[in-house]
mmCIF file of all heavy atoms in Angstrom:
data_model
loop_
_atom_site.group_PDB
_atom_site.id
_atom_site.type_symbol
_atom_site.label_atom_id
_atom_site.label_comp_id
_atom_site.label_asym_id
_atom_site.label_seq_id
_atom_site.Cartn_x
_atom_site.Cartn_y
_atom_site.Cartn_z
ATOM 1 N N THR A 26 133.174 -77.690 -126.718
ATOM 2 C CA THR A 26 132.558 -76.620 -127.505
ATOM 3 C C THR A 26 131.040 -76.693 -127.374
ATOM 4 O O THR A 26 130.370 -75.677 -127.196
ATOM 5 C CB THR A 26 132.982 -76.711 -128.979
ATOM 6 O OG1 THR A 26 134.401 -76.577 -129.048
ATOM 7 C CG2 THR A 26 132.318 -75.639 -129.815
ATOM 8 N N ASN A 27 130.483 -77.897 -127.453
ATOM 9 C CA ASN A 27 129.036 -78.035 -127.297
ATOM 10 C C ASN A 27 128.580 -77.663 -125.893
ATOM 11 O O ASN A 27 127.497 -77.107 -125.725
ATOM 12 C CB ASN A 27 128.573 -79.445 -127.672
ATOM 13 C CG ASN A 27 128.246 -79.543 -129.143
ATOM 14 O OD1 ASN A 27 127.938 -78.552 -129.792
ATOM 15 N ND2 ASN A 27 128.300 -80.737 -129.683
ATOM 16 N N MET A 28 129.402 -77.930 -124.888
ATOM 17 C CA MET A 28 129.047 -77.510 -123.523
ATOM 18 C C MET A 28 129.009 -75.994 -123.435
ATOM 19 O O MET A 28 128.100 -75.417 -122.830
ATOM 20 C CB MET A 28 130.055 -78.088 -122.522
ATOM 21 C CG MET A 28 129.692 -77.864 -121.074
ATOM 22 S SD MET A 28 128.151 -78.681 -120.642
ATOM 23 C CE MET A 28 127.306 -77.333 -119.853
ATOM 24 N N ALA A 29 129.967 -75.334 -124.066
ATOM 25 C CA ALA A 29 129.958 -73.868 -124.097
ATOM 26 C C ALA A 29 128.736 -73.363 -124.861
ATOM 27 O O ALA A 29 128.087 -72.390 -124.454
ATOM 28 C CB ALA A 29 131.248 -73.348 -124.733
ATOM 29 N N GLN A 30 128.414 -74.033 -125.961
ATOM 30 C CA GLN A 30 127.235 -73.665 -126.752
ATOM 31 C C GLN A 30 125.962 -73.825 -125.919
ATOM 32 O O GLN A 30 125.069 -72.978 -125.946
ATOM 33 C CB GLN A 30 127.161 -74.551 -128.004
ATOM 34 C CG GLN A 30 126.051 -74.200 -128.956
ATOM 35 C CD GLN A 30 126.326 -72.938 -129.736
ATOM 36 O OE1 GLN A 30 127.474 -72.613 -130.006
ATOM 37 N NE2 GLN A 30 125.291 -72.234 -130.091
ATOM 38 N N LEU A 31 125.876 -74.920 -125.167
ATOM 39 C CA LEU A 31 124.713 -75.155 -124.309
ATOM 40 C C LEU A 31 124.585 -74.048 -123.263
ATOM 41 O O LEU A 31 123.487 -73.531 -123.024
ATOM 42 C CB LEU A 31 124.824 -76.522 -123.633
ATOM 43 C CG LEU A 31 123.697 -76.890 -122.664
ATOM 44 C CD1 LEU A 31 122.349 -76.913 -123.367
ATOM 45 C CD2 LEU A 31 124.000 -78.240 -122.021
ATOM 46 N N THR A 32 125.688 -73.676 -122.669
ATOM 47 C CA THR A 32 125.685 -72.610 -121.675
ATOM 48 C C THR A 32 125.191 -71.306 -122.288
ATOM 49 O O THR A 32 124.386 -70.580 -121.681
ATOM 50 C CB THR A 32 127.099 -72.425 -121.088
ATOM 51 O OG1 THR A 32 127.522 -73.675 -120.533
ATOM 52 C CG2 THR A 32 127.135 -71.357 -120.029
ATOM 53 N N GLU A 33 125.639 -71.019 -123.491
ATOM 54 C CA GLU A 33 125.203 -69.812 -124.190
ATOM 55 C C GLU A 33 123.691 -69.845 -124.451
ATOM 56 O O GLU A 33 122.989 -68.855 -124.221
ATOM 57 C CB GLU A 33 125.957 -69.694 -125.512
ATOM 58 C CG GLU A 33 125.589 -68.473 -126.321
ATOM 59 C CD GLU A 33 126.330 -68.429 -127.652
ATOM 60 O OE1 GLU A 33 127.435 -68.987 -127.754
ATOM 61 O OE2 GLU A 33 125.786 -67.824 -128.590
ATOM 62 N N GLU A 34 123.194 -70.980 -124.906
ATOM 63 C CA GLU A 34 121.764 -71.097 -125.217
ATOM 64 C C GLU A 34 120.911 -71.002 -123.952
ATOM 65 O O GLU A 34 119.853 -70.354 -123.951
ATOM 66 C CB GLU A 34 121.477 -72.405 -125.960
ATOM 67 C CG GLU A 34 122.162 -72.543 -127.304
ATOM 68 C CD GLU A 34 121.787 -71.486 -128.333
ATOM 69 O OE1 GLU A 34 120.847 -70.704 -128.112
ATOM 70 O OE2 GLU A 34 122.454 -71.439 -129.386
ATOM 71 N N VAL A 35 121.362 -71.614 -122.862
ATOM 72 C CA VAL A 35 120.635 -71.520 -121.597
ATOM 73 C C VAL A 35 120.635 -70.069 -121.111
ATOM 74 O O VAL A 35 119.631 -69.583 -120.577
ATOM 75 C CB VAL A 35 121.232 -72.472 -120.533
ATOM 76 C CG1 VAL A 35 120.676 -72.187 -119.145
ATOM 77 C CG2 VAL A 35 120.958 -73.923 -120.920
ATOM 78 N N GLY A 36 121.721 -69.362 -121.347
ATOM 79 C CA GLY A 36 121.772 -67.940 -120.994
ATOM 80 C C GLY A 36 120.749 -67.122 -121.759
ATOM 81 O O GLY A 36 120.131 -66.202 -121.203
ATOM 82 N N GLU A 37 120.538 -67.461 -123.022
ATOM 83 C CA GLU A 37 119.528 -66.750 -123.809
ATOM 84 C C GLU A 37 118.128 -67.024 -123.274
ATOM 85 O O GLU A 37 117.295 -66.112 -123.202
ATOM 86 C CB GLU A 37 119.651 -67.140 -125.282
ATOM 87 C CG GLU A 37 120.920 -66.611 -125.920
ATOM 88 C CD GLU A 37 121.105 -67.051 -127.360
ATOM 89 O OE1 GLU A 37 120.119 -67.417 -128.026
ATOM 90 O OE2 GLU A 37 122.259 -67.020 -127.835
ATOM 91 N N VAL A 38 117.871 -68.256 -122.862
ATOM 92 C CA VAL A 38 116.580 -68.592 -122.238
ATOM 93 C C VAL A 38 116.419 -67.813 -120.940
ATOM 94 O O VAL A 38 115.365 -67.217 -120.684
ATOM 95 C CB VAL A 38 116.466 -70.116 -121.982
ATOM 96 C CG1 VAL A 38 115.268 -70.437 -121.099
ATOM 97 C CG2 VAL A 38 116.381 -70.877 -123.300
ATOM 98 N N ALA A 39 117.470 -67.784 -120.132
ATOM 99 C CA ALA A 39 117.423 -67.076 -118.853
ATOM 100 C C ALA A 39 117.153 -65.584 -119.054
ATOM 101 O O ALA A 39 116.375 -64.975 -118.304
ATOM 102 C CB ALA A 39 118.733 -67.278 -118.094
ATOM 103 N N ARG A 40 117.763 -65.008 -120.058
ATOM 104 C CA ARG A 40 117.563 -63.576 -120.337
ATOM 105 C C ARG A 40 116.101 -63.284 -120.657
ATOM 106 O O ARG A 40 115.512 -62.348 -120.127
ATOM 107 C CB ARG A 40 118.457 -63.137 -121.490
ATOM 108 C CG ARG A 40 118.319 -61.674 -121.852
ATOM 109 C CD ARG A 40 119.188 -61.363 -123.074
ATOM 110 N NE ARG A 40 119.031 -59.991 -123.454
ATOM 111 C CZ ARG A 40 119.920 -59.040 -123.210
ATOM 112 N NH1 ARG A 40 121.042 -59.323 -122.585
ATOM 113 N NH2 ARG A 40 119.699 -57.797 -123.599
ATOM 114 N N GLU A 63 114.385 -70.527 -128.498
ATOM 115 C CA GLU A 63 115.578 -70.619 -127.643
ATOM 116 C C GLU A 63 115.585 -71.925 -126.861
ATOM 117 O O GLU A 63 116.641 -72.545 -126.696
ATOM 118 C CB GLU A 63 115.659 -69.417 -126.701
ATOM 119 C CG GLU A 63 115.794 -68.071 -127.406
ATOM 120 C CD GLU A 63 116.992 -67.983 -128.361
ATOM 121 O OE1 GLU A 63 117.999 -68.695 -128.170
ATOM 122 O OE2 GLU A 63 116.914 -67.183 -129.309
ATOM 123 N N ASP A 66 116.758 -74.557 -129.135
ATOM 124 C CA ASP A 66 118.218 -74.521 -129.274
ATOM 125 C C ASP A 66 118.878 -75.331 -128.152
ATOM 126 O O ASP A 66 119.840 -76.076 -128.391
ATOM 127 C CB ASP A 66 118.741 -73.079 -129.229
ATOM 128 C CG ASP A 66 118.467 -72.297 -130.497
ATOM 129 O OD1 ASP A 66 118.186 -72.922 -131.538
ATOM 130 O OD2 ASP A 66 118.529 -71.055 -130.441
ATOM 131 N N VAL A 67 118.365 -75.187 -126.922
ATOM 132 C CA VAL A 67 118.897 -75.936 -125.787
ATOM 133 C C VAL A 67 118.724 -77.433 -126.024
ATOM 134 O O VAL A 67 119.667 -78.217 -125.852
ATOM 135 C CB VAL A 67 118.206 -75.504 -124.466
ATOM 136 C CG1 VAL A 67 118.569 -76.444 -123.326
ATOM 137 C CG2 VAL A 67 118.565 -74.067 -124.115
ATOM 138 N N VAL A 70 121.213 -78.844 -128.667
ATOM 139 C CA VAL A 70 122.587 -79.040 -128.185
ATOM 140 C C VAL A 70 122.649 -80.201 -127.198
ATOM 141 O O VAL A 70 123.609 -80.983 -127.214
ATOM 142 C CB VAL A 70 123.166 -77.736 -127.576
ATOM 143 C CG1 VAL A 70 124.584 -77.968 -127.056
ATOM 144 C CG2 VAL A 70 123.167 -76.618 -128.593
#
Side-chain angles (χ1 to χ4, degrees):
T26 299
N27 271 336
M28 187 63 230
Q30 185 74 30
L31 178 60
T32 303
E33 180 182 333
E34 298 299 350
V35 169
E37 291 177 22
V38 169
R40 180 184 178 104
E63 298 304 333
D66 286 342
V67 170
V70 179

